[in-house]
Amino acid sequence: MPRIASILLPMPLPEAFDYAEPEGMELAVGDQVAAPLGPRLLRGVVVALRDGAGGNRPLKPVAHRLDDPPLPPGVIEFINWAARYAVDAPGWPLAMALRGLRAPPPKPQVLVEPTGVVPDRMTPARMKVMAVAGQGEHTSASLASAAGVSSGVVKGLVEAGALAPREVIKVQAFDQPDLERAGAQLNLGQMAAAETLAEMARRPGFEVVLLDGVTGSGKTEVYLETIAEALRADPTAQVLVLLPEIALTEAVIGRLTERFAAAPAEWHSQVPPPRRRAIWEAVADGRARVVVGARSALFLPFRNLRLIVVDEEHDSSYKQEEGFIYHARDLAVARGKIAGAAVVLASATPSLETLGNAEAGRYRWLKLGARHGAARLPDVGLIDMRETPPDANHWLSPPLRQAMIETLSRGEQVMLFLNRRGYAPLVLCRACGERMRAPDTDSWLVEHRYTGRLVCHLTGFSMPKPAACPHCGAKDSLVSIGPGVERVEEEARSLFPEARVAVFSSDVMESADSARKLVAAMEAGEIDILVATQAAAKGHNFPNLTLVGVVDADLGLRGGDLRAGERTFQLLAQAAGRAGRKDKPGRALLQTYAPEHAVMQALAAQDRDAFVEAEMAARELSGLPPFGRLAALIVSGTDPAVLEAYVQALAAATPNAEGVEVFGPADAPLALVRGRRRKRFLVRAARGVDIQGFLAAWRARAKIPGSVRLTIDVDPYSFL
Ligand code: ADP
């Protein structure tokens, strides 16, 4: 009986395509194959097989099976789950799952080896070659250079039959963790949590645990032990540690390497393609047992995934907003469920979604009490900027400057936190009032002094800062409004000319290596004042850092979306938590124009519970997550009339569904991006509603014109 193979291609097509299985190919689900699409042969994955030969028109046959390892069944299930969750094409998550295979497979190396045949003619040069060839592995080139002879000599020996070529493919080795090594001596609270987690790690099966503890309470130490336990319990077990940012990956990789005397496999966008392929293959065949990575590591082809750790689970960088839209924490839970693995969510300031699940008993909740050892949480103080404002065009208030003087004079370090890259967020013309905007996007251009450019932070567009106003032509009239980290650095340098000042932001941290160097310099005390964006606010332990100054605590509250309060609380609690991590007491000072705001009050009182309770009550009242579900539809197009017609058609086609409300269409706050106009709908649904089913049905009811793009964002984090 002939069979039909459903092949999913890694591109945004609505579904898998049918192909005929050629006789004798014996395909299996998960196999990677080359399949024809139009004139091209593309990589695809067999997702289903059934008997049959197709309808009236014969199906095109699969061209051939690829050498790459098949995708494990759990991965295919996960891809389908993710696509349904995101109401998007399954080819997207498949593309992410195959991203490791972009580099070609390693080329075989040709080694030359002695055959035992003695050549008729022996020269001193030939003798040297034969002596070297007997020791270790050699290519002809390395052999010639090791023997100090020309390549012709080696060639002659091959022709004479004394050496023979042999092709080998080098498989990259992955360090195997040493599970006999002892971990840290845990304190009592940590031990209790570690024991519960160890028991979970030993027992197969899906379970989610929230590991909840203040910054510095030892969550990392505890989950290192859970990883050890999972690896010990099953010799083929694999573990994935997810981190929200590359800068953090470095720190955790260091700790894992120390704990297990073996480096974990590192997976993120900066890992070069050949290394990614090596990791992909090692994850697929089980040689890589511990992987540390960014969100896309969820799509790796684990053979026997037993444990997933999502560190800083509340972090909004886990939300991918472009291309395939998903939240890595939510997908990690789904991946764990499909694999029957344990999932540990760690945070000092868990998301309201996770707290909701823990409160409802869906997740187990483990709490770590105080900071480990002598370290105490920092004192948090509010500086009322209305009472004690900084000088004009300066950003550090007198009380913060005073605290900096005290800290620096004790030889301790200061971090000034401002979550804004560049020099100034706005540039305007003193003569005509023109604000410098991006040409095709609804956003102000941010001045960057290091590069002398004006940059759009949304699209990456940039231009040199002009000498004259492009609007009125006035010379030298452009002024910088407001601070970014570069400007605060300038102020810190002029206030403390003796101090060593550095900036930590994603602009400076182009590579993982420069991040590592800066962190090392900070740890070694080679920096006195670190001006940092959120890139440095998380995860790091700087023992001599005792003062954190938050330059603009109100920044995240402006704009006021659903999570503004939650996000501000989390970010500032993290930033403040950098101070006093060792035995010296730390303090955090928050500059604010709204000290009475609930978020500021909760931070000052270090009362997370009160904040969460108030925020939960407000969300429950308005049916917002975690009490209800949200989804956004973003429609964009280049032709306003076509866009408007489609938006109206979509509005008219809104299905009637119990428990679902649709708001909009409205102009998006960000109404123009890269020349495309944008409109939004917002859907709010009760918890039990199949919001994905609703969205898929709705989208199918109106035909999308070619120039219009519809993006569905389930559980949106950005409302722009
Ligand atoms: P968290 O992940 O909760 O922020 P960490 O695990 O990073 O906390 O711990 C904070 C600091 O305290 C780290 O330097 C860590 O090595 C140290 N620490 C925590 N627990 C212990 C312990 N039981 N023994 C020794 N050092 C510890």
Side-chain angles (χ1 to χ4, degrees):
M1 184 72 156
R3 289 199 300 175
I4 299 174
S6 269
I7 312 272
L8 190 61
L9 301 171
M11 48 180 62
L13 300 165
E15 59 195 358
F17 290 159
D18 283 348
Y19 290 86
E21 177 187 37
E23 228 182 276
M25 197 178 275
E26 302 291 330
L27 291 170
V29 169
D31 279 354
Q32 299 197 45
V33 296
L37 186 74
R40 291 184 300 164
L41 269 188
L42 297 176
R43 178 192 292 273
V45 171
V46 180
V47 290
L49 286 157
R50 62 182 194 276
D51 289 339
N56 305 336
R57 276 196 297 155
L59 293 172
K60 282 193 187 166
V62 170
H64 56 268
R65 193 199 324 255
L66 300 172
D67 284 338
D68 293 318
L71 291 192
V75 175
I76 294 175
E77 196 181 337
F78 176 61
I79 285 169
N80 285 325
W81 191 94
R84 180 173 152 73
Y85 170 87
V87 200
D88 211 334
W92 270 120
L94 177 67
M96 303 182 59
L98 298 179
R99 196 174 279 168
L101 298 176
R102 280 203 195 135
K107 287 216 177 65
Q109 258 193 338
V110 185
L111 301 181
V112 282
E113 295 169 342
T115 55
V117 172
V118 180
D120 299 340
R121 193 170 58 85
M122 230 4 175
T123 63
R126 283 188 164 190
M127 261 152 71
K128 268 195 248 167
V129 171
M130 291 314 290
V132 178
Q135 300 153 10
E137 290 186 340
H138 288 286
T139 62
S140 357
S142 76
L143 188 54
S145 93
V149 303
S150 76
S151 59
V153 181
V154 176
K155 204 164 155 225
L157 284 165
V158 172
E159 277 158 11
L163 293 173
R166 183 168 67 93
E167 283 200 349
V168 290
I169 294 184
K170 280 260 182 286
V171 175
Q172 266 187 44
F174 280 77
D175 294 351
Q176 290 309 308
D178 177 354
L179 301 176
E180 301 302 312
R181 268 165 89 95
Q185 184 62 48
L186 299 183
N187 65 36
L188 281 178
Q190 293 171 345
M191 217 183 285
E195 264 164 30
T196 308
L197 287 168
E199 196 217 319
M200 181 186 75
R202 280 192 294 268
R203 157 168 43 89
F206 168 65
E207 184 168 4
V208 186
V209 177
L210 167 58
L211 183 58
D212 177 0
V214 295
T215 51
S217 56
K219 296 182 293 298
T220 312
E221 294 296 340
V222 169
Y223 77 63
L224 287 175
E225 295 320 300
T226 316
I227 293 172
E229 196 62 32
L231 296 174
R232 273 194 293 260
D234 174 348
T236 66
Q238 293 173 299
V239 174
L240 169 62
V241 181
L242 284 185
L243 292 155
E245 261 164 51
I246 298 179
L248 273 185
T249 338
E250 291 303 314
V252 170
I253 285 176
R255 287 176 73 173
L256 275 161
T257 309
E258 202 172 300
R259 175 66 183 79
F260 296 112
E266 177 176 3
W267 182 269
H268 51 68
S269 59
Q270 286 184 7
V271 175
R275 176 69 185 163
R276 281 208 233 178
R277 175 177 263 278
I279 293 172
W280 198 97
E281 290 175 355
V283 170
D285 69 17
R287 277 173 297 133
R289 297 195 65 198
V290 182
V291 178
V292 175
R295 57 194 177 206
S296 60
L298 274 173
F299 294 88
L300 281 168
F302 290 97
R303 249 173 105 102
N304 183 21
L305 184 58
R306 306 278 5 118
L307 172 67
I308 306 175
V309 177
V310 184
D311 203 350
E312 311 287 357
E313 70 85 29
H314 63 277
D315 198 300
S316 48
S317 342
Y318 278 126
K319 182 78 196 276
Q320 170 152 309
E321 313 258 39
E322 290 206 335
F324 183 66
I325 298 180
Y326 68 97
H327 197 298
R329 182 230 308 134
D330 298 342
L331 252 52
V333 171
R335 185 86 162 91
K337 185 159 191 189
I338 290 167
V343 181
V344 175
L345 309 177
S347 175
T349 49
S351 60
L352 266 67
E353 281 81 356
T354 295
L355 285 171
N357 281 321
E359 270 165 13
R362 285 185 286 271
Y363 298 173
R364 196 194 277 239
W365 194 348
L366 296 176
K367 295 177 195 172
L368 292 179
R371 281 192 163 178
H372 177 71
R376 293 278 158 272
L377 276 178
D379 288 327
V380 179
L382 302 178
I383 296 175
D384 187 337
M385 297 289 272
R386 297 165 306 193
E387 304 265 314
T388 51
D391 304 336
N393 275 323
H394 287 70
W395 320 101
L396 305 177
S397 64
L400 181 53
R401 292 200 315 247
Q402 182 56 34
M404 291 174 73
I405 293 172
E406 291 162 15
T407 306
L408 294 172
S409 67
R410 284 195 302 269
E412 294 167 6
Q413 291 166 307
V414 177
M415 184 168 96
L416 295 176
F417 177 76
L418 177 62
N419 204 15
R420 204 189 251 150
R421 293 155 49 208
Y423 184 81
L426 182 66
V427 176
L428 63 73
C429 171
R430 216 170 10 210
C432 71
E434 172 79 0
R435 299 167 169 211
M436 300 293 290
R437 291 173 156 277
D440 59 351
T441 300
D442 210 359
S443 75
W444 310 126
L445 290 174
V446 178
E447 179 179 4
H448 285 242
R449 282 257 163 116
Y450 291 154
T451 55
R453 299 184 77 85
L454 304 182
V455 182
C456 169
H457 281 185
L458 278 163
T459 62
F461 164 88
S462 79
M463 59 187 253
K465 186 178 175 188
C469 172
H471 188 65
C472 71
K475 287 235 163 64
D476 296 323
S477 68
L478 295 178
V479 286
S480 317
I481 307 293
V485 277
E486 292 176 12
R487 197 167 201 179
V488 172
E489 178 200 18
E490 185 182 84
E491 183 172 343
R493 280 190 200 281
S494 77
L495 283 171
F496 302 99
E498 313 279 278
R500 295 158 300 174
V501 185
V503 170
F504 195 132
S505 79
S506 56
D507 295 315
V508 191
M509 302 297 99
E510 267 155 18
S511 70
D513 196 42
S514 47
R516 191 168 26 227
K517 285 198 182 116
L518 200 71
V519 168
M522 187 67 186
E523 280 170 353
E526 290 156 17
I527 295 168
D528 300 308
I529 302 173
L530 186 66
V531 187
T533 63
Q534 52 143 6
K538 310 166 200 169
H540 302 294
N541 281 307
F542 301 126
N544 201 34
L545 171 64
T546 58
L547 173 65
V548 170
V550 176
V551 177
D552 183 355
D554 310 328
L555 183 59
L557 291 173
R558 286 174 216 137
D561 70 52
L562 156 69
R563 293 186 180 81
E566 181 186 0
R567 212 161 30 218
T568 300
F569 182 85
Q570 288 162 340
L571 188 57
L572 298 188
Q574 281 288 340
R578 290 313 105 205
R581 303 270 293 185
K582 213 64 203 214
D583 37 10
K584 295 178 191 137
R587 78 176 143 153
L589 292 173
L590 277 48
Q591 298 194 140
T592 171
Y593 286 91
E596 65 289 338
H597 193 290
V599 169
M600 300 305 148
Q601 289 295 321
L603 284 163
Q606 308 209 26
D607 193 345
R608 188 187 95 189
D609 293 347
F611 172 74
V612 168
E613 205 178 307
E615 188 73 20
M616 284 279 199
R619 300 247 190 119
E620 185 163 21
L621 208 62
S622 38
L624 292 172
F627 300 95
R629 309 190 58 196
L630 291 182
L633 267 67
I634 302 112
V635 189
S636 70
T638 42
D639 181 334
V642 175
L643 177 66
E644 190 54 34
Y646 174 66
V647 165
Q648 290 311 327
L650 199 59
T654 313
N656 255 329
E658 189 90 24
V660 181
E661 284 171 286
V662 174
F663 306 94
D667 284 341
L670 203 59
L672 183 71
V673 174
R674 294 191 179 95
R676 301 178 74 87
R677 308 236 141 251
R678 301 169 79 245
K679 302 258 180 186
R680 291 181 69 104
F681 293 86
L682 188 65
V683 180
R684 182 174 67 183
R687 248 192 94 94
V689 170
D690 174 13
I691 196 169
Q692 279 89 359
F694 174 87
L695 293 165
W698 186 11
R699 179 178 53 191
R701 285 177 163 204
K703 189 168 166 8
I704 305 182
S707 66
V708 170
R709 202 181 298 147
L710 167 66
T711 305
I712 294 181
D713 184 354
V714 175
D715 201 8
Y717 274 60
S718 158
F719 295 84
L720 291 177

